[in-house]
């Protein structure tokens, strides 16, 4: 019997996973990758170490217009399935407080084992093949690259998003999905640093400090995160900022305001902090405001706090207006993408176009920092691969 031919656009995280699963389930698979090698973005993840999943799966790990969409794929190919899958391929997990990395400390190991398994299964990975157009035919798809064309029974779009300059992510997947009848929820940078209004940022640039950051819009709190903040010459960065950024960016782009309030001493209430300052003043009455803060905050931050009328307010609730984020090229992921209402959540098959599957970040799903975006790529890729091979 002739094997079903599955064509996958993109040899990134979800495309490689889909290719392996489709081949394991009996399909002939061709992956078309625009770059000179597969998995370029995987190689850059986790600062080159690849945080490939997380033992904790909090309810709010995923965002999108319909975040519950992720549940079926995540339960079919779960975190423990991911750990087992990669163990079998050779990736021994290193557990850092529940965040899993390959023990080699190299993201490249993940790409390498995926490519080896794909090759072993006979998956063809064609590099330097940018897909420019796709056509639905009665019995399959015609996929056009810049210099060639391919015919397949099933098509999986695994192009990823517009985020990051590393892998040449240009968002071409959104155009291909649109041409096949899909609607795109507007796409914006997420997991990114935020630019703010103000003229003192040069003073605090370079500081890394513990803090709690709350995003407000129209006077209401939207989301709060705590951790190490990185203060920059344009505003704020660091993991807590990344976590709230998708909401701040979407607010601004949709014409709402976005204010952040930073608490630089989250371990104490405002009253406790006021009391601490009074006690420090009683012990060392010769100290001025600036000197009272020495030993509590880095010197660059003290320069900003000491100039304010109300010291407690400056430390506990410094308020900034967000004006923008850094560019797509500097973001780790994007929010927005193919509307998940148009996709079957169990299989990743399109409801608009039979035998078309869409995976990973191309869909309107973005995860928080901590391995959740790759986990989504593995789970959605696995679902698409298995089902693409199975039904026709
Ligand atoms: C710097 C950085 C660090 C990150 N760290 C982490 C982390 O530690 N943990 C985590 O969970 N997530 C991390 N992420 C996010 C994670 O890498 C992505 O969410 C994940 O790779 C998305 O998988 P994907 O398969 O959807 O897309 P990708 O992995 O981006 O793969 C898409 C592939 O499709 C190719 N392609 C696109 N268009 C075409 C076309 N027209 N023709 C042919 N090929 C095409 C691209 O070149 C690419 O190889 C990080 C992202 C960045 C940028």
């Amino acid at each position: 019997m002739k094997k079903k031919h599955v064509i996958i656009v993109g040899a990134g995280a979800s495309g490689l996973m889909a290719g392996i699963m489709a081949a394991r389930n009996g399909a002939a698979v061709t992956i078309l990758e625009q770059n000179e090698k597969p998995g370029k973005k995987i190689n850059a993840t986790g600062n080159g170490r690849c945080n490939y999943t997380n033992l904790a799966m909090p309810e709010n790990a995923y965002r999108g217009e319909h975040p519950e969409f992720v549940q079926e794929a995540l339960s079919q190919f779960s975190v423990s399935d991911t750990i087992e899958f990669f163990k079998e391929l050779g990736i021994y997990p290193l557990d850092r407080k529940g965040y899993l990395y390959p023990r080699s400390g190299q993201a490249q190991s993940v790409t390498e084992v995926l490519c080896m398994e794909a090759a072993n299964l006979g998956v063809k990975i064609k590099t330097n093949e940018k897909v420019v157009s796709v056509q639905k035919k009665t019995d399959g798809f015609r996929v056009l690259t810049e210099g060639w064309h391919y015919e397949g029974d099933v098509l999986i779009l695994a192009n990823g998003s517009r985020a990051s300059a590393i892998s040449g992510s240009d968002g071409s997947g959104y155009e291909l999905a649109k041409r096949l009848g899909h609607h795109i929820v507007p796409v914006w940078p997420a997991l990114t640093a935020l630019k703010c209004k103000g003229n003192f940022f040069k003073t605090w640039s370079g500081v890394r400090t513990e803090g709690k950051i709350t995003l407000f819009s129209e006077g209401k709190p939207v989301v709060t995160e705590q951790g190490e903040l990185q203060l920059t010459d344009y505003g704020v960065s660091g993991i807590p900022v990344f976590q709230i950024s998708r909401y701040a960016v979407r607010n601004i782009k949709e014409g709402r305001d976005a204010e952040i309030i930073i608490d630089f001493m989250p371990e104490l209430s405002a009253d406790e902090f006021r009391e601490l300052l009074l006690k420090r003043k009683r012990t060392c009455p010769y100290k001025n405001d600036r000197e009272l803060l020495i030993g509590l905050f880095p010197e660059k931050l003290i320069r900003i706090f000491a100039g304010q009328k109300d010291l407690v307010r400056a430390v506990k609730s410094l308020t900034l207006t967000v004006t923008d984020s850094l560019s797509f090229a500097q973001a780790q992921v994007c929010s927005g993408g193919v509307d998940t209402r148009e996709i079957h959540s169990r299989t990743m098959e399109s409801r608009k176009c039979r035998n078309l599957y869409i995976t990973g970040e191309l869909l309107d799903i973005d995860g928080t920092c901590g391995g959740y975006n790759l986990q989504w790529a593995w789970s959605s890729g696995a679902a698409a691969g298995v089902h693409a091979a199975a039904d026709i």
Side-chain angles (χ1 to χ4, degrees):
M1 200 176 81
K2 186 179 160 278
K3 277 189 172 184
K4 196 196 285 190
H5 187 198
V6 175
I7 297 185
I8 302 175
V9 185
S14 67
L16 288 169
M17 176 58 90
I20 289 169
M21 289 303 183
R24 282 184 181 179
N25 283 277
V29 181
T30 305
I31 309 184
L32 304 172
E33 168 56 50
Q34 63 187 357
N35 289 327
E36 70 288 3
K37 55 182 185 180
K40 266 183 122 175
K41 198 182 271 186
I42 301 175
N43 295 347
T45 57
N47 284 326
R49 292 180 304 160
C50 187
N51 173 203
Y52 67 98
T53 189
N54 199 307
L55 296 178
M57 187 55 75
E59 257 179 32
N60 58 359
Y62 292 98
R63 289 103 176 245
E65 298 278 301
H66 305 282
E68 68 285 356
F69 175 80
V70 300
Q71 292 312 329
E72 266 195 274
L74 287 177
S75 62
Q76 283 171 172
F77 192 82
S78 65
V79 171
S80 50
D81 294 328
T82 301
I83 297 167
E84 247 348 274
F85 171 86
F86 278 107
K87 261 192 189 165
E88 276 172 18
L89 298 195
I91 299 297
Y92 191 91
L94 177 71
D95 180 351
R96 293 181 189 271
K97 296 186 181 161
Y99 294 53
L100 296 196
Y101 298 84
R103 193 180 175 284
S104 62
Q106 288 188 315
Q108 204 186 321
S109 322
V110 172
T111 304
E112 277 189 70
V113 299
L114 288 169
C115 289
M116 281 190 277
E117 177 68 1
N120 182 47
L121 290 161
V123 172
K124 291 188 191 123
I125 303 181
K126 308 259 181 196
T127 52
N128 293 313
E129 279 288 50
K130 183 175 172 69
V131 173
V132 290
S133 173
V134 285
Q135 292 160 6
K136 176 82 176 109
K137 304 188 310 170
T138 37
D139 55 348
F141 294 87
R142 188 178 165 89
V143 178
L144 288 91
T145 63
E146 278 163 342
W148 199 244
H149 69 264
Y150 297 82
E151 310 272 339
D153 303 304
V154 179
L155 177 65
I156 301 180
L157 294 181
N159 304 56
S161 71
R162 274 186 71 185
S164 161
I166 296 160
S167 60
S169 315
D170 58 1
S172 58
Y174 305 120
E175 282 312 310
L176 301 180
K178 259 200 239 172
R179 269 184 235 162
L180 293 169
H182 283 280
H183 163 247
I184 308 296
V185 175
V187 176
W188 299 112
L191 298 189
T192 179
L194 296 174
K195 293 182 184 172
C196 301
K197 208 194 275 180
N199 53 12
F200 60 85
F201 299 131
K202 286 222 158 37
T203 310
W204 78 8
S205 177
V207 169
R208 285 170 178 252
T209 185
E210 182 69 17
K212 186 161 91 178
I213 186 162
T214 304
L215 173 71
F216 281 77
S217 185
E218 278 144 21
K220 293 198 189 89
V222 178
V223 57
T224 298
E225 287 286 338
Q226 189 170 331
E228 190 186 64
L229 300 172
Q230 291 175 29
L231 309 177
T232 68
D233 60 3
Y234 53 81
V236 285
S237 185
I239 303 287
V241 176
F242 275 32
Q243 304 286 46
I244 67 165
S245 60
R246 64 106 57 207
Y247 298 108
V249 175
R250 294 196 83 82
N251 275 342
I252 297 167
K253 302 297 180 187
E254 288 165 12
R256 296 185 297 275
D257 69 326
E259 285 214 314
I260 47 175
I261 297 194
I262 307 178
D263 179 351
F264 288 96
M265 192 103 201
E267 61 271 47
L268 298 184
S269 69
D271 286 345
E272 285 167 337
F273 181 60
R274 186 173 289 107
E275 192 47 47
L276 176 74
L277 289 180
L278 290 172
K279 195 169 160 206
R280 284 165 85 91
K281 186 75 182 168
R282 278 197 298 276
T283 317
C284 303
Y286 52 86
K287 287 187 181 175
N288 63 24
D289 276 5
R290 190 188 70 78
E291 291 162 342
L292 278 178
L293 298 176
I294 293 173
L296 288 176
F297 302 105
E299 196 267 332
K300 283 181 168 183
L301 261 190
I302 293 177
R303 273 195 255 160
I304 287 163
F305 296 150
Q308 308 288 313
K309 259 196 234 143
D310 182 342
L311 211 51
V312 175
R313 203 181 151 85
V315 169
K316 292 292 297 172
S317 49
L318 187 94
T319 305
L320 296 172
T321 302
V322 181
T323 54
D324 205 351
S325 67
L326 295 191
S327 68
F328 280 103
Q330 291 152 299
Q332 282 200 1
V333 300
C334 285
S335 67
V338 173
D339 191 331
T340 51
R341 287 173 304 184
E342 299 168 355
I343 305 291
H344 292 281
S345 60
R346 191 174 64 84
T347 60
M348 301 299 129
E349 189 179 10
S350 163
R351 292 178 192 274
K352 299 271 175 184
C353 177
R354 181 94 176 92
N355 291 322
L356 169 69
Y357 293 74
I358 302 183
T359 62
E361 238 190 277
L362 184 52
L363 293 163
D364 172 31
I365 290 295
D366 52 294
T368 49
C369 288
Y372 299 104
N373 285 295
L374 281 174
Q375 182 59 59
W376 173 240
W378 312 136
S379 296
S380 59
V386 168
H387 293 283
D391 51 18
I392 195 141

